[in-house]
Amino acid sequence: MTNNYIPVKIAGVGYSLPETVITNDDLTKLYDTSDEWIYSRTGIKERRLVSGDEDAIDLGLVAAENALKKSGIKPEELDLIIAASSAPPQLYPAIACHIQSRLGIETDIPAFDITAACSGLIYGMHVAKGFINSGIYKNILIVATDNNSRYLDWSDRGTSILFGDGAGAMVLTAAEDGVDDILYIDIKAKGSIGELIYKDNVGQNCPLVEPCSEHDGFIHMNGRGVYTFVAKILPKYVEDLLEHAGMKAEDIDYLIPHQANLRIIQAVQERLGYSDDKVVTNIKYYGNTSAASIPIALAESVEKGNVKLDTTAILCGFGAGMTWGGAIVRLREGIC
Ligand code: ACO
């Protein structure tokens, strides 16, 4: 281990989405709602869902392979895998362990998951940055993947209109040219309002003890409560990120936010005074893909030519916990 600060290079970003598209009109077969109601309140028109035995690990593997390919780093060169997920198919083994196995890595590198819901990518980046800065690990894969659709109550129109499934991945490595791609990063949590979004695990009682109360295992959300909290804190938080980084809104090329609600994104956009071409939104097509939403938005917008590389971006996310976080990053040529 070295005492020297080692800067971080964002080496590759990838994503993966399920094929199956469910439109707002499809949802009208499940309950009383309309495309107009959903689109006007959220910005969502359709979402992708896993189908059959497909799950967040399958999606995460493809996203990881895509990010590794872009990075030029081989799976066997990785030192650590972190997966960020709040809707994993299994509690354990960790998604990160599955990814290690399915990438064919036989070097016993550590692999673990973090639960920070939709802030998962930013949390993962912060953890990875610490390992790289300190010289403990060099090459780190972060996989942000969720199959929310498996935990939604499909008769609850308040939650099931919002979420989709998807995966994103990012490869971070020690920057050998000394250029740091993470200009500033911060993560936050407020557990005292955790009841705004929660999902219980469904357990069993030992027949010898008093039974516990029943839980359904579905995602529960106080949508109005989440909206009010996030719309209040996020615009100011993003402004504070810039201040801590010693930068101004006009120094940044793009805002790439978590895709939860178009109106929340617009509140941040207005605060920064950004035109539409500086703000990445794809919520219309994918809904809220939790931890995966920021890397999907980044990689897809580069692929479509909406985001140019050799630029800078603000990434910001929020979700269950409540957690939130943001990063100001350099987007090098060739990362996605
Ligand atoms: N279609 C039609 N009507 C509906 C629907 C629907 N899909 N859902 C709710 N309604 C009705 C309600 O029943 C209610 O009717 P009532 O007034 O007769 O009782 C009315 O519409 C208003 O309901 P609200 O829940 O107050 O609707 P709101 O305007 O708050 O919109 C929404 C709901 C879209 C969920 C909004 O609150 C929101 O986007 N919140 C933020 C959610 C979010 O960002 N979550 C992040 C999760 S991140 C993570 O970590 C998981």
Side-chain angles (χ1 to χ4, degrees), residues 31-34 37-38 41-42 86 116-119 148 157-159 161-163 197 219 221-228 230 258 260-261 263-264 288 290 318-323:
Y31 36 67
D32 180 18
T33 190
S34 65
W37 195 98
I38 300 171
R41 279 172 183 75
T42 67
S86 50
C118 311
S119 317
N148 293 302
R157 61 184 185 168
T159 52
I161 55 164
L162 292 173
F163 295 93
I197 317 171
I219 296 170
M221 184 179 68
N222 172 347
R224 187 55 67 92
V226 173
Y227 185 89
T228 307
V230 177
H258 170 46
N261 182 307
R263 289 182 299 164
I264 293 175
N288 178 349
S290 297
F318 62 88
M322 294 292 293
T323 58

Side-chain angles (χ1 to χ4, degrees), residues 227 231 234-239 242 249-250 254-255 257 261-281 314 316:
Y227 185 89
L234 200 64
K236 166 86 169 75
Y237 176 69
V238 170
E239 221 171 47
L242 286 163
E250 54 268 32
Y254 301 105
L255 170 68
N261 182 307
L262 194 59
R263 289 182 299 164
I264 293 175
I265 296 173
Q266 284 164 346
V268 178
Q269 174 177 0
E270 270 167 37
R271 185 71 158 246
L272 296 174
Y274 283 1
S275 52
D276 287 350
D277 58 335
K278 289 187 74 155
V279 182
V280 174
T281 59
I314 302 170
C316 62

Side-chain angles (χ1 to χ4, degrees), residues 49-280:
L49 303 190
V50 288
S51 185
D53 290 330
E54 187 180 31
D55 66 24
I57 300 167
D58 300 317
L59 299 176
L61 177 68
V62 176
E65 287 169 339
N66 291 340
L68 283 163
K69 206 162 152 194
K70 286 291 177 185
S71 76
I73 291 167
K74 297 188 182 69
E76 58 271 24
E77 293 172 326
L78 289 173
D79 300 305
L80 170 67
I81 302 174
I82 301 170
S85 184
S86 50
Q90 291 181 324
L91 189 56
Y92 49 83
I95 288 181
C97 294
H98 283 286
I99 300 285
Q100 179 204 41
S101 160
R102 290 178 61 180
L103 285 173
I105 298 170
E106 292 175 358
T107 45
D108 299 346
I109 56 164
F112 62 87
D113 290 2
I114 54 176
T115 306
C118 311
S119 317
L121 179 88
I122 310 287
Y123 267 65
M125 286 174 71
H126 210 334
V127 172
K129 172 179 156 58
F131 280 123
I132 293 171
N133 289 162
S134 59
I136 294 175
Y137 297 126
K138 185 174 172 208
N139 298 325
I140 301 180
L141 168 66
I142 305 168
V143 182
T145 184
D146 274 307
N147 46 220
N148 293 302
S149 66
R150 293 269 154 78
Y151 304 111
L152 288 164
D153 174 355
W154 285 100
S155 65
D156 174 11
R157 61 184 185 168
T159 52
S160 59
I161 55 164
L162 292 173
F163 295 93
D165 302 326
M170 184 179 272
V171 178
L172 299 182
T173 185
E176 275 160 15
D177 57 6
V179 177
D180 210 333
D181 290 346
I182 302 182
L183 303 172
Y184 188 75
I185 187 161
D186 178 70
I187 48 178
K188 296 253 186 293
K190 192 182 269 303
S192 57
I193 50 168
E195 77 286 351
L196 287 176
I197 317 171
Y198 67 90
K199 181 208 166 305
D200 291 317
N201 278 337
V202 181
Q204 302 291 328
N205 278 300
C206 167
L208 304 175
V209 304
E210 191 183 326
C212 67
S213 42
E214 286 194 8
H215 302 287
D216 57 25
F218 293 132
I219 296 170
H220 292 269
M221 184 179 68
N222 172 347
R224 187 55 67 92
V226 173
Y227 185 89
T228 307
F229 175 71
V230 177
K232 188 170 155 216
I233 61 136
L234 200 64
K236 166 86 169 75
Y237 176 69
V238 170
E239 221 171 47
D240 289 349
L241 284 178
L242 286 163
E243 198 182 316
H244 286 299
M247 300 176 92
K248 294 195 167 61
E250 54 268 32
D251 298 332
I252 304 289
D253 297 301
Y254 301 105
L255 170 68
I256 307 178
H258 170 46
Q259 310 283 310
N261 182 307
L262 194 59
R263 289 182 299 164
I264 293 175
I265 296 173
Q266 284 164 346
V268 178
Q269 174 177 0
E270 270 167 37
R271 185 71 158 246
L272 296 174
Y274 283 1
S275 52
D276 287 350
D277 58 335
K278 289 187 74 155
V279 182
V280 174

